Amino acid sequence: MNQLPEDYLPVLQEAVEKSASSIVITDADGRILYVNPQFTRATGYSREEAIGQNPRILKSGYTPPEKYRELWQTISGGQTWRGEFHNKRKDGSLFWETAVITPVRDANGRITHYLAVKDDVTQSRQTRRELEERNRQLEAVNQILQTIVTTLDLERILQLIADKIHELLKAPAASIWLIDRQTGSLVCRSAAGPYRELLVGRELPPGKGISGQAVARGQTINEPNLQNNPRYARGAENKAGVKMRSALFVPLPTVNGVSGLITLGSPEPERFREEDVVLAEAIAAAAGGAIEQARLHQQLRRQYKTEKEMKTRLAQAEKLAAIGELTAGITHELNNPLTAITLYSQLLERKTGDQKERSILQKIRAQAQRASRIVRRLLDFAR
Amino acid sequence: MNQLPEDYLPVLQEAVEKSASSIVITDADGRILYVNPQFTRATGYSREEAIGQNPRILKSGYTPPEKYRELWQTISGGQTWRGEFHNKRKDGSLFWETAVITPVRDANGRITHYLAVKDDVTQSRQTRRELEERNRQLEAVNQILQTIVTTLDLERILQLIADKIHELLKAPAASIWLIDRQTGSLVCRSAAGPYRELLVGRELPPGKGISGQAVARGQTINEPNLQNNPRYARGAENKAGVKMRSALFVPLPTVNGVSGLITLGSPEPERFREEDVVLAEAIAAAAGGAIEQARLHQQLRRQYKTEKEMKTRLAQAEKLAAIGELTAGITHELNNPLTAITLYSQLLERKTGDQKERSILQKIRAQAQRASRIVRRLLDFAR
């Protein structure tokens, strides 16, 4: 495009002053001659502080030196350079900016100025990264769910969840505690990260510590600074020799109430955000479900075993019972011969005069009566 | 800031040409005098097309008229206006831009130009919205998990999931189908949205349709255009009188394999993205777990009932069995009197000469033997 007429100068100056991009003009030696207000907003350096300086005041050390070499080669060779910097503000904080850097020549083609137009992309970069991160997290939650829903091995489920939540929330200490049904204590059943060995097997009496509080309330506790919480149980921390600052205590929900909790710890204060809580709670719910499922399967297996044993016992008992009933029927039949014996012996007794014979016949009758009494006892039983 | 010297003109012009913001300069009547290359990239209008036009060529009708009134009042009054537009490109597509619009005055203080510096925020706005949406979805998944993990009522779980997934993925047809264990058919057990009545109770024979395929494979099928898929079962669609285009078929995983599936349908083609699949799969996994849990509880309840019944039967049978055993013991005792009767009758028989007496004694002995045979039978049983 042709050069604009001179009366555009104030308009262009206004455009540059109002620009949402940082604009920096240097001389041919790279000394800053002009910065616009957005430069000051973006970097914290006022116009007065910036003028006379070299743009390298923004160097953070995170942009590789080759990039600067390539930049200078390009622009001193008369070309436009486009790229991205990881720069440092006056207050030391870091930011990302895209830059377009162009040499400007005079009528004789000599480079008189360099111009940089830069845009802070920290925010949009961060939002994009957060979105990617959230997509990754959702993907991970999905994988965890797919796995635990199709697994019955409780130990595997517990270890998987500890590993995944450690990885997903980047918390150095991740552990899962289940309530012991006998004692009501929380027992650490799995953990991940450097403090794994210290945690697994630890026990907390019912209601003890922040864990006990979270379980009793059935609600997540997001503690931004453990060291200020008088309930904090320091057992594991003292052994590890690391001061934990933030922690999440997330109860595991089941149909029968809370069955345990997931804890996450970090040496950074205020580490866990609302999104982390949601993520941890979703995984805790899935874990609660999976633990309950594994338990139900176990119970059902036990139940089937009991049923099988009872069936065997029942079959034996019912065989004996059938015998008992048959016995009763048969026992009845005994009455006929016994009655006959009694009648025949009475008949003979009446006929005979012999005292001795008579006494033997009485004995026969007595024995028949004795047998009848036994039969009556048998029938009484079987009734 | 003071006015820059005239030799800055080419540098400022370069800054405006290189700017990542759209820059538009108009005269005092709002006629476009200049646009920078970014304006062309952002709107699709070339410099030649734009010059002489009014910036209202970008109007989409989505920015309320009061905004334009306020804008003109502000800038014609000599002030800077800042705001956002929902504008339209040359090709008709819509975009969002933030704008800073400033009047520029000459040495006499008369407004000679207006300057607009605008930034396309469509992308960052969309990324931010997607992030908010993803956070909302994760929150919803968490809530679904919390509820179904603590619910045992299968009907409630199925309805809740249909409702939530319908709402979350904005799919007009959402339904849950479970495999009937007897017939192997898929039966629609719950649905949400306008086609609810048409769907609930429908049955698909094993392997039929895209649903049958997803269940057989145990994998999600994301069908971008149903009407091109020869497997598509049109039963419900014909009744609804709406052509469905995209559909998701998501199997419900359980420890014992696939137990059913979630289907989502939309009249838009290519409606479901990778993130929707992940979300639907996570909910399907949770649903699979919850359904399995409800079934296990049901089975366990049945099992407990069976156990109770068996216990009662066992108690009765064992009582009878005990009687059987006692009977055996007592029956033994019968042998003594019977043996005694036999011996006594033999003794008498030897003593007597009377033929008639002898015949009666033989009858007594026969009866005693008959009784003995019965006793032997009893004992044989009880053994």
Side-chain angles (χ1 to χ4, degrees):
Chain A
M1 194 201 179
N2 297 333
Q3 186 148 339
L4 290 166
E6 265 170 32
D7 62 346
Y8 269 79
L9 184 62
V11 189
L12 294 183
Q13 185 174 346
E14 188 68 27
V16 166
E17 294 270 311
K18 284 288 184 301
S19 175
S21 309
S22 284
I23 292 171
V24 180
I25 298 170
T26 72
D27 62 18
D29 297 327
R31 235 186 345 223
I32 294 174
L33 298 175
Y34 169 86
V35 295
N36 73 343
Q38 178 56 31
F39 175 89
T40 298
R41 283 193 291 272
T43 66
Y45 291 104
S46 71
R47 182 165 288 174
E48 292 70 32
E49 289 170 320
I51 285 173
Q53 297 287 328
N54 186 291
R56 79 171 69 98
I57 52 170
L58 299 178
K59 262 193 182 174
S60 67
Y62 290 107
T63 303
E66 312 85 68
K67 203 175 221 175
Y68 292 109
R69 263 201 302 280
E70 181 214 304
L71 155 63
W72 278 109
Q73 270 167 16
T74 307
I75 60 175
S76 61
Q79 304 292 308
T80 296
W81 182 89
R82 286 165 202 275
E84 210 171 46
F85 296 116
H86 197 183
N87 275 340
K88 196 168 73 181
R89 295 195 186 87
K90 190 183 169 189
D91 66 6
S93 60
L94 295 169
F95 67 110
W96 286 90
E97 52 183 5
T98 56
V100 181
I101 303 179
T102 314
V104 187
R105 296 158 188 271
D106 64 12
N108 306 319
R110 205 168 42 94
I111 293 173
T112 56
H113 300 90
Y114 291 107
L115 164 77
V117 180
K118 303 189 293 177
D119 284 281
D120 189 329
V121 289
T122 313
Q123 186 59 50
S124 70
R125 203 183 156 101
Q126 195 180 317
T127 309
R128 214 170 47 241
R129 292 212 161 182
E130 258 182 71
L131 180 59
E132 284 164 10
E133 166 105 359
R134 199 70 73 250
N135 283 340
R136 258 199 310 278
Q137 288 173 334
L138 201 54
E139 181 70 53
V141 169
N142 183 25
Q143 271 177 17
I144 297 174
L145 283 177
Q146 300 292 339
T147 310
I148 63 182
V149 148
T150 55
T151 303
L152 283 180
D153 179 345
L154 187 58
E155 299 308 315
R156 246 195 83 205
I157 291 172
L158 294 172
Q159 194 54 55
L160 181 93
I161 293 168
D163 288 342
K164 287 287 175 184
I165 205 162
H166 164 64
E167 190 187 310
L168 203 62
L169 293 182
K170 299 180 190 73
S175 52
I176 303 182
W177 304 64
L178 297 189
I179 297 173
D180 181 303
R181 290 190 171 182
Q182 254 88 57
T183 63
S185 291
L186 282 167
V187 180
C188 180
R189 293 287 299 274
S190 76
Y195 312 114
R196 188 176 184 279
E197 304 290 311
L198 272 172
L199 288 164
V200 174
R202 285 196 94 80
E203 218 176 311
L204 267 176
K208 184 93 192 287
I210 312 173
S211 298
Q213 204 176 15
V215 166
R217 287 187 194 164
Q219 275 179 356
T220 300
I221 296 178
N222 182 358
E223 176 53 63
N225 200 334
L226 284 174
Q227 305 296 327
N228 299 341
N229 189 325
R231 293 191 71 104
Y232 178 40
R234 284 183 173 70
E237 172 173 299
N238 291 340
K239 289 213 170 172
V242 179
K243 280 226 179 307
M244 287 290 163
R245 302 282 174 188
S246 2
L248 269 188
F249 301 85
V250 191
L252 304 175
T254 76
V255 275
N256 307 313
V258 174
S259 68
L261 90 164
I262 293 177
T263 67
L264 291 166
S266 163
E268 286 173 60
E270 297 176 26
R271 167 71 185 71
F272 300 106
R273 295 180 309 164
E274 194 41 47
E275 298 90 70
D276 298 323
V277 173
V278 173
L279 214 58
E281 283 183 350
I283 294 174
I291 291 165
E292 182 69 9
Q293 184 178 229
R295 273 188 180 154
L296 284 172
H297 267 278
Q298 225 170 46
Q299 235 170 309
L300 210 54
R301 265 199 307 275
R302 258 203 309 272
Q303 203 59 30
Y304 280 131
K305 211 180 137 204
T306 309
E307 189 187 335
K308 215 177 137 192
E309 285 166 2
M310 280 179 85
K311 266 190 183 151
T312 312
R313 270 173 68 193
L314 193 59
Q316 283 171 337
E318 284 185 337
K319 196 184 137 206
L320 283 174
I323 291 164
E325 269 170 58
L326 263 176
T327 314
I330 298 169
T331 308
H332 260 292
E333 291 177 29
L334 279 169
N335 284 324
N336 296 335
L338 294 177
T339 310
I341 290 167
T342 305
L343 289 173
Y344 287 130
S345 61
Q346 277 172 342
L347 184 67
L348 279 179
E349 208 179 326
R350 247 173 289 154
K351 271 179 126 180
T352 190
D354 184 320
Q355 192 55 38
K356 212 168 167 200
E357 260 183 42
R358 196 174 261 180
S359 129
I360 292 172
L361 284 166
Q362 277 165 0
K363 279 175 183 159
I364 286 177
R365 225 168 53 234
Q367 291 299 330
Q369 276 158 6
R370 187 181 149 202
S372 287
R373 277 196 303 277
I374 294 172
V375 168
R376 222 173 300 124
R377 258 173 73 207
L378 272 174
L379 288 172
D380 282 347
F381 261 125
R383 199 165 296 135
Chain B
M1 192 202 181
N2 296 333
Q3 186 149 339
L4 290 167
E6 267 169 31
D7 62 346
Y8 269 79
L9 184 62
V11 188
L12 294 183
Q13 186 173 345
E14 188 68 27
V16 167
E17 295 269 312
K18 285 289 183 300
S19 175
S21 308
S22 285
I23 293 171
V24 181
I25 299 170
T26 73
D27 62 19
D29 298 326
R31 235 185 349 221
I32 295 174
L33 299 175
Y34 168 87
V35 296
N36 73 344
Q38 178 56 30
F39 175 89
T40 298
R41 283 193 292 272
T43 66
Y45 290 103
S46 69
R47 182 165 288 175
E48 291 70 31
E49 289 170 322
I51 285 174
Q53 299 286 329
N54 187 292
R56 79 170 70 97
I57 52 170
L58 300 178
K59 261 192 181 174
S60 66
Y62 290 108
T63 303
E66 311 87 68
K67 202 174 222 177
Y68 291 108
R69 265 202 300 280
E70 182 214 304
L71 155 64
W72 278 107
Q73 271 168 16
T74 308
I75 60 175
S76 61
Q79 303 292 308
T80 295
W81 182 89
R82 287 165 202 275
E84 209 169 46
F85 295 117
H86 197 182
N87 275 341
K88 196 168 72 180
R89 295 195 186 87
K90 189 184 170 189
D91 67 6
S93 61
L94 296 168
F95 67 109
W96 286 91
E97 52 182 6
T98 57
V100 182
I101 303 179
T102 314
V104 188
R105 297 156 188 272
D106 64 12
N108 306 319
R110 205 169 42 94
I111 292 173
T112 55
H113 299 90
Y114 291 107
L115 164 76
V117 180
K118 304 190 293 179
D119 284 280
D120 189 329
V121 290
T122 313
Q123 186 58 51
S124 70
R125 203 182 156 102
Q126 195 182 317
T127 310
R128 213 170 47 242
R129 291 212 163 183
E130 259 181 70
L131 180 59
E132 284 164 12
E133 167 105 359
R134 199 69 74 249
N135 284 340
R136 259 199 311 278
Q137 288 173 334
L138 203 53
E139 181 69 53
V141 168
N142 183 25
Q143 271 178 17
I144 298 174
L145 284 177
Q146 300 291 337
T147 310
I148 63 182
V149 148
T150 54
T151 304
L152 282 183
D153 180 344
L154 187 58
E155 299 308 315
R156 245 195 82 206
I157 291 172
L158 294 172
Q159 195 53 55
L160 180 93
I161 293 169
D163 288 342
K164 287 288 176 183
I165 206 163
H166 163 65
E167 192 187 310
L168 201 63
L169 292 182
K170 299 179 189 72
S175 53
I176 304 182
W177 304 63
L178 297 189
I179 297 174
D180 182 304
R181 290 193 172 180
Q182 255 87 58
T183 63
S185 291
L186 282 167
V187 181
C188 181
R189 293 288 299 274
S190 75
Y195 312 114
R196 188 174 183 281
E197 303 291 312
L198 273 173
L199 287 166
V200 173
R202 286 196 95 79
E203 219 176 310
L204 267 177
K208 184 92 192 290
I210 312 175
S211 298
Q213 203 177 16
V215 166
R217 286 188 195 163
Q219 275 177 356
T220 299
I221 297 178
N222 182 0
E223 176 52 63
N225 199 334
L226 284 175
Q227 305 296 328
N228 299 339
N229 190 325
R231 293 190 71 105
Y232 178 41
R234 284 184 172 69
E237 173 174 298
N238 291 340
K239 288 213 171 173
V242 180
K243 280 226 178 306
M244 286 291 162
R245 303 280 174 188
S246 1
L248 268 188
F249 301 86
V250 191
L252 306 173
T254 77
V255 276
N256 306 312
V258 174
S259 68
L261 89 165
I262 293 177
T263 66
L264 291 165
S266 165
E268 286 174 58
E270 296 176 26
R271 168 70 185 70
F272 300 107
R273 295 181 307 165
E274 194 40 50
E275 299 89 72
D276 298 322
V277 173
V278 173
L279 214 58
E281 283 184 349
I283 293 174
I291 292 165
E292 181 69 11
Q293 184 178 228
R295 275 189 180 152
L296 284 172
H297 267 278
Q298 225 170 45
Q299 235 170 309
L300 210 54
R301 266 199 307 274
R302 258 203 310 273
Q303 203 59 30
Y304 280 131
K305 213 180 134 203
T306 308
E307 189 187 336
K308 217 177 134 191
E309 285 166 4
M310 280 179 83
K311 266 189 182 151
T312 312
R313 270 174 68 194
L314 193 59
Q316 283 171 336
E318 284 186 338
K319 196 183 136 206
L320 284 174
I323 291 164
E325 269 169 58
L326 263 175
T327 313
I330 297 168
T331 308
H332 261 291
E333 291 178 29
L334 280 170
N335 284 325
N336 296 334
L338 294 177
T339 310
I341 291 168
T342 306
L343 288 174
Y344 286 131
S345 61
Q346 278 170 343
L347 183 67
L348 279 180
E349 209 179 325
R350 249 173 296 168
K351 271 180 124 183
T352 190
D354 184 318
Q355 192 53 40
K356 213 169 168 199
E357 261 183 42
R358 195 174 264 179
S359 131
I360 292 174
L361 284 167
Q362 274 164 3
K363 280 176 183 157
I364 288 178
R365 222 166 56 233
Q367 292 299 332
Q369 273 157 9
R370 188 179 147 201
S372 286
R373 276 197 304 275
I374 295 173
V375 167
R376 220 173 302 125
R377 259 173 71 206
L378 274 173
L379 288 172
D380 281 347
F381 262 123
R383 200 164 296 135

